[in-house]
Amino acid sequence: MASRPQISLLQAGAVSIVRMRSNSADHDESGPIPQADAFSVIAQLKPFDNHRLWRRGKLIHDGGHPAGALAITDLGEEWRCHHRSSFDNMRFNISRQGLSDFSYEAGRSGFNGLDCGQGQLDPVVQGLAMALLPALSQPAHASALFIDHVLLALQAHLVTRYGKINLPVERSSGLSARQLTMATGFLASLTAREATISDVAAQCGLSTSYFIRAFKKSTGRTPHRWLMEYRAEKARQMLLGTASIAEIAVACGFADQSHLTRVFTALNGVSPGTWRRERRI
């Protein structure tokens, strides 16, 4: 019996992120891949030794791809594939309308599609895919703000390199005092839920791309970094009290104690438990 691949999935707005992997070389040939007005952007996370790919019934690839290779397929066409070796890849399914809207919001219209040869090496997409692996393996710890940052960077790279659209340089003077107060107040309130960057930008009446640049100019941090530092500082204050670390994690908006420990240690160089003990000596 042919092996079925392991599949991990995250849905981030209009973009689906799928990791597919298998250690087996025994796979069935796929039927026709469902058509859609979208693009599938596939980055190989390890060498993919052997597969076949058909477009509109014509064999267009018979061979392998190295790690870091990229393939972009227009899902408006008919595709079939046959994986004939082990593989590990990340797939981003992005609607044509979504990329067109991204280009328009960034100041350019006329998006016509993506053009990429099979197996082209792209370390940018490879790096962005690797950055999302923890979110796919531990979705309970995944930050919507962080995922948004990665996907915005991905879309900017795709439309400029493969869509041949030169995005304008948007100069930002930073947020006004009122906008900064609204943005940070909204972020600080996110103790029981997550939000996307567009949610925060909407509080200030700004486009997502402009907001990110303006926020970083005003604070020196991305919204996600600011939020992690804010929550870690809140945890430091609570560590001076008697609440357990698990209770502090929940109160400060972390998924659980291990999430708090990972973020706190990265920012402070010691774990919450060690930080607390050092201040009780």
Side-chain angles (χ1 to χ4, degrees):
M1 181 179 293
S3 173
R4 292 188 176 183
Q6 287 181 265
I7 297 176
S8 303
L9 170 67
L10 273 179
Q11 190 68 39
V15 182
S16 63
I17 309 164
V18 182
R19 183 184 185 185
M20 293 184 64
R21 50 185 165 155
S22 172
N23 292 322
S24 172
D26 183 20
H27 304 94
D28 289 331
E29 182 180 317
S30 77
I33 296 171
Q35 292 179 257
D37 194 15
F39 296 92
S40 178
V41 179
I42 306 173
Q44 302 300 330
L45 302 181
K46 76 170 194 176
F48 186 15
D49 294 333
N50 195 353
H51 86 293
R52 287 180 173 176
L53 182 67
W54 293 265
R55 181 176 60 193
R56 298 194 297 269
K58 180 180 179 181
L59 182 67
I60 65 168
H61 184 84
D62 187 355
H65 292 313
L70 185 71
I72 299 178
T73 56
D74 183 341
L75 295 177
E77 300 183 278
E78 181 187 322
W79 297 88
R80 287 187 300 113
C81 64
H82 187 192
H83 294 50
R84 302 194 298 174
S85 67
S86 63
F87 63 91
D88 188 356
N89 60 50
M90 187 85 81
R91 300 160 181 251
F92 301 92
N93 287 341
I94 310 174
S95 72
R96 182 185 296 271
Q97 187 62 52
L99 288 170
S100 180
D101 290 345
F102 174 87
S103 300
Y104 181 79
E105 185 180 87
R108 288 288 187 265
S109 58
F111 173 77
N112 294 316
L114 302 175
D115 183 17
C116 173
Q118 293 289 325
Q120 182 171 326
L121 292 177
D122 191 321
V124 174
V125 177
Q126 171 83 347
L128 294 174
M130 297 294 289
L132 288 171
L133 289 179
L136 282 159
S137 62
Q138 294 183 300
H141 293 169
S143 165
L145 287 173
F146 176 75
I147 293 170
D148 266 7
H149 277 296
V150 174
L151 293 181
L152 287 167
L154 174 69
Q155 291 174 89
H157 178 68
L158 292 175
V159 300
T160 52
R161 181 165 181 179
Y162 303 111
K164 303 298 187 291
I165 291 180
N166 294 319
L167 298 180
V169 176
E170 188 175 0
R171 301 189 183 281
S172 168
S173 58
L175 298 174
S176 68
R178 177 174 173 273
Q179 289 171 329
L180 183 58
T181 298
M182 291 175 67
T184 54
F186 182 77
L187 288 168
S189 72
L190 300 175
T191 55
R193 63 186 181 89
E194 277 287 4
T196 64
I197 294 174
S198 59
D199 291 332
V200 189
Q203 300 295 309
C204 303
L206 299 173
S207 72
T208 302
S209 58
Y210 184 90
F211 169 76
I212 293 171
R213 286 189 283 271
F215 187 93
K216 189 168 185 179
K217 189 174 183 68
S218 295
T219 66
R221 298 161 178 79
T222 65
H224 176 259
R225 176 76 178 191
W226 186 94
L227 180 58
M228 292 300 100
E229 291 184 2
Y230 172 83
R231 288 176 173 174
E233 175 58 31
K234 186 175 179 180
R236 276 194 295 270
Q237 297 303 314
M238 292 188 69
L239 285 167
L240 298 174
T242 59
S244 71
I245 295 176
E247 291 171 334
I248 292 171
V250 173
C252 294
F254 293 97
D256 53 29
Q257 182 173 335
S258 64
H259 186 202
L260 164 61
T261 298
R262 186 169 67 254
V263 172
F264 191 97
T265 303
L267 292 173
N268 296 281
V270 295
S271 69
T274 300
W275 192 91
R276 169 177 267 177
R277 285 194 296 273
E278 289 175 347
R279 277 143 189 83
R280 289 180 173 175
I281 294 175

